Amino acid sequence: MRYFQKLLFILLLSITQLAHADDGYRLWLKFDPIANVQQRNSYAQKCQFIYSDNQEVIIKTAQKELQAGLTGLLGKKILILTNPAGKKGGIILQIIQNEQTNQLAEDGFIIREENQNIVIRSRSASGVLYGSFALLRQIQSGSSIAQLNITDSPKIKYRMLNHWDNPLGTIERGYAGSSLWKWYELPEVIDQRYIDYARANASIGINAVVLNNVNASARFLTKEYIVKVKALADVFRPYGIKVFLSLNFAAPKLLGGAKNSDPMAPEVRNWWKNVTKDIYSAIPDFGGYLVKANSEGEPGPQDFGRTHADGANMLAEAIAPYKGIVIWRAFVYAADPKGDRFKEAYKDFKPLDGTFASNVLVQVKNGPIDFQSREPFHPLFGAMPKTPLAMEFQLTQEYLGFSTNLVYEAPLFKECLESDTYSNGKGSTIAKIVDGSVDNHSLTAMAGVANTGSDRNWTGHLMSQANWYAFGRLAWNHSLSSELIASEWIKMTLTQEPKAVATIQDLMMKSREIYVDFTTPLGLHHVMGQNIHFGPEPWLEKSARPDWTAIYYHRADSVGLGFDRTAQGSNALGLYSKEVQAQWGNPDTCPLPYLLWFHHVSWNKKLSSGKTLWNEFASRYYEGVKSVEWMQKQWNSVQSSIDPQIFADVSGRLAAQHREALNWRDACVLYFQQYSKQPIPRPYQAPTRTLDEMKEIVRIYQLK
Ligand code: GCV
């Protein structure tokens, strides 16, 4: 009998593996049978059944997910019991309000072994769902579940994805296919992907999604589209996810026939109230609105001489009766030929601190320019203590090599979150401003601009799945380390072979710095191809606005390189606290990663590395390219531990990355050499291609 059971298991194992020659669709939720029999049996002993006396829809989801996950992992069907009748060795899901659970945040959970059962306990159904996924994660990644005693609460209330998806199915800055949302099929057709998307999000604690692009079409506010949005909300609700919409501020005029969209006009205010009522009567738990206003040509309250707060508060008033929220973006930068884009958002928003309604959050990008591969933190963090500030990170790799480059973003997110603003004394980190603890806000949010699309593996580059995963984990708990998150993800997605896990983790951890080195070392920024933001274009001198060119930012001349943002220059540094100014203000002590962000440095200046600026700068490009070769070698070394389809796909993308790195290197060293007038430092060889050849490659990239 035992022999047949064993045979059956081996058969099951190979069938599952064959059936899933891995195309990456299952993300980190693979649940393939655990190969180690001893380990599998020890888990199986503690997970013999699932039971809850509560039948809320989200609890049912938790049960279903546990059942599917455990059945896959343990290779046998795990039953959901309706009456455990004193049985031991199972998983009990429990919603309860008591002293213990009252200590938790709303979505928090406790997992403990009690009376020989594993109890997942929370005061909310969503907490139980997150606890269930946490238990699965323990088992998936091969961790022990003996004497479990986990207490976990999210640090942020709204952990959200922002989709920049357009109604016709394109995605602004999307590199993984088309939009997941098939608006023309909705509400009648429910694609399985909607459900799988919700599962993936719930598994990492994401509880809110903005469905459409911040450059918003007004059509989402029509009755025809509200039913489509409702259909998605109905799919996401069992996974604890609320839907939000991006608004077009001119909608009252565009759709409602109003004279204009002045937020102070009674007719306009009423229009928003009516639309909001329509939305809530279809979707009672609708989350709220996200707004990009008076930015990059989008309409907004300033069109009528009103402030951002006037606009936000009008919407806040309309949505308050339903407990909805308004998230107002601070990504604004009026064109000022003599100014510094770095300072624009601060100029507009800082004076408005304290004037926003209590259900408004202001959403600020991590840095002051626009999701560059490295930015100093945005100076608005710490400057608006009376306003809850939401963090906006970008998962989609607009400036990080699209889906051909391997860039693990957790270190980038962490670098920002751990930056100290000193706004309320030492330790006033961005993380603590965003989680509300520095300024005492309970309304908190962290948003990631989604990197998902219709590609079979969701994110184009399979390794970019890790960025979605890492964002969710950090939005839940910003104190998790990038290393830990990477290793969780690798073990669930790629392999559990210890040496391979360590190799891939190391490669991921170094990947962002490598990308910085071969594209924009030492704090160089915004020198990418102007239209598509791919590849180098440091020679870009003319654009519709000066702050869309490259020369505006790098300021290369015969003397040196970099943007002087000290008091002698634009004084953007003056927007930070004096401690931060001290950190970055002196070119002799400014850490090299930020040097060219704040200083115009002479080509011959000796840096802390011992090399001159030119030599260090040029060397970084060469070393960056060599590091991509190292990444390829490391990846090759794990071949035997990785699914062949995934291995081949990532190998191909690394080869593409190498080609791109060479383009960046040759274009940048040749272009800047015109100013430094110095040879390529030894031992590196000068590029064999000319600057004109490089310009031609980039020109072709930008052709329509
Ligand atoms: C959605 C950058 C991007 C735009 C994006 C904008 C924003 O400028 O290039 O595509 O628009 O940021 O965040 O609003």
Side-chain angles (χ1 to χ4, degrees), residues 28-29 31 34 43 66 69-70 73 109 111 129-145 148 150 152 199-206 469 472-473 476-477 480 484-485 487-489 491-492 496:
W28 48 87
L29 300 174
F31 305 124
I34 299 166
Y43 289 136
L66 276 170
L70 291 172
L73 289 161
F109 58 83
I111 310 179
L129 177 64
Y130 298 130
S132 303
F133 277 116
L135 177 64
L136 283 171
R137 189 182 310 128
Q138 291 278 119
I139 300 175
Q140 279 176 283
S141 51
S143 307
S144 162
I145 57 166
L148 278 172
I150 300 173
D152 201 0
R199 294 180 60 226
N201 278 333
S203 76
I204 49 176
I206 289 174
Y469 182 84
R473 297 289 285 134
W476 179 277
N477 180 359
L480 295 176
L484 175 97
I485 296 171
S487 96
E488 280 180 6
W489 178 80
K491 287 179 187 162
M492 292 190 285
Q496 295 201 4

Side-chain angles (χ1 to χ4, degrees), residues 164 172-173 213-215 292 295-296 329 331 333 365 370-371 392 398-399 533:
W164 286 358
E172 182 152 351
R173 312 302 176 188
N213 192 352
V214 287
N215 294 330
K292 171 175 178 176
S295 163
E296 300 186 330
R329 291 177 91 226
F331 180 66
Y333 55 109
K365 289 189 182 182
D370 193 10
F371 300 135
E392 180 172 322
E398 176 179 358
Y399 299 98
H533 297 177

Side-chain angles (χ1 to χ4, degrees), residues 608-620:
S608 53
S609 64
K611 292 186 188 146
T612 63
L613 172 68
W614 167 249
N615 283 351
E616 181 67 44
F617 181 72
S619 305
R620 294 283 178 125

Side-chain angles (χ1 to χ4, degrees), residues 117-305:
N117 286 316
I118 295 175
V119 181
I120 303 179
R121 180 174 292 147
S122 173
R123 62 188 169 97
S124 68
S126 51
V128 170
L129 177 64
Y130 298 130
S132 303
F133 277 116
L135 177 64
L136 283 171
R137 189 182 310 128
Q138 291 278 119
I139 300 175
Q140 279 176 283
S141 51
S143 307
S144 162
I145 57 166
Q147 275 123 40
L148 278 172
N149 192 359
I150 300 173
T151 300
D152 201 0
S153 274
K155 294 192 195 298
I156 305 280
K157 188 170 161 69
Y158 291 97
R159 307 170 294 275
M160 52 187 353
L161 287 184
N162 289 183
H163 287 271
W164 286 358
D165 293 22
N166 298 316
L168 298 185
T170 54
I171 305 179
E172 182 152 351
R173 312 302 176 188
Y175 313 106
S178 315
S179 175
L180 294 171
W181 325 132
K182 298 179 180 167
W183 293 110
Y184 291 95
E185 294 176 8
L186 284 164
E188 291 83 2
V189 184
I190 299 298
D191 191 325
Q192 175 62 32
R193 280 196 95 139
Y194 305 154
I195 300 161
D196 292 336
Y197 165 85
R199 294 180 60 226
N201 278 333
S203 76
I204 49 176
I206 289 174
N207 64 353
V209 299
V210 184
L211 294 171
N212 61 317
N213 192 352
V214 287
N215 294 330
S217 161
R219 75 168 83 180
F220 291 100
L221 300 172
T222 60
K223 290 208 162 63
E224 192 187 348
Y225 271 74
I226 290 172
V227 290
K228 296 171 189 280
V229 173
K230 170 188 170 2
L232 288 175
D234 290 344
V235 174
F236 298 161
R237 187 171 301 110
Y239 290 88
I241 297 169
K242 282 185 196 283
V243 299
F244 286 66
L245 285 174
S246 294
L247 293 187
N248 184 311
F249 200 79
K253 184 170 176 212
L254 294 171
L255 297 175
K259 196 160 77 240
N260 60 38
S261 300
D262 180 351
M264 292 307 180
E267 158 190 41
V268 170
R269 297 179 86 85
N270 272 334
W271 189 87
W272 283 113
K273 282 185 183 154
N274 289 333
V275 165
T276 305
K277 191 164 149 215
D278 289 347
I279 294 177
Y280 276 94
S281 48
I283 311 166
D285 56 353
F286 180 73
Y289 299 135
L290 172 66
V291 192
K292 171 175 178 176
N294 293 119
S295 163
E296 300 186 330
E298 292 300 311
Q302 291 179 336
D303 302 344
F304 312 98

Side-chain angles (χ1 to χ4, degrees), residues 83 179 331 391 636 673:
N83 179 3
S179 175
F331 180 66
M391 169 61 74
N636 285 338
Q673 193 178 32

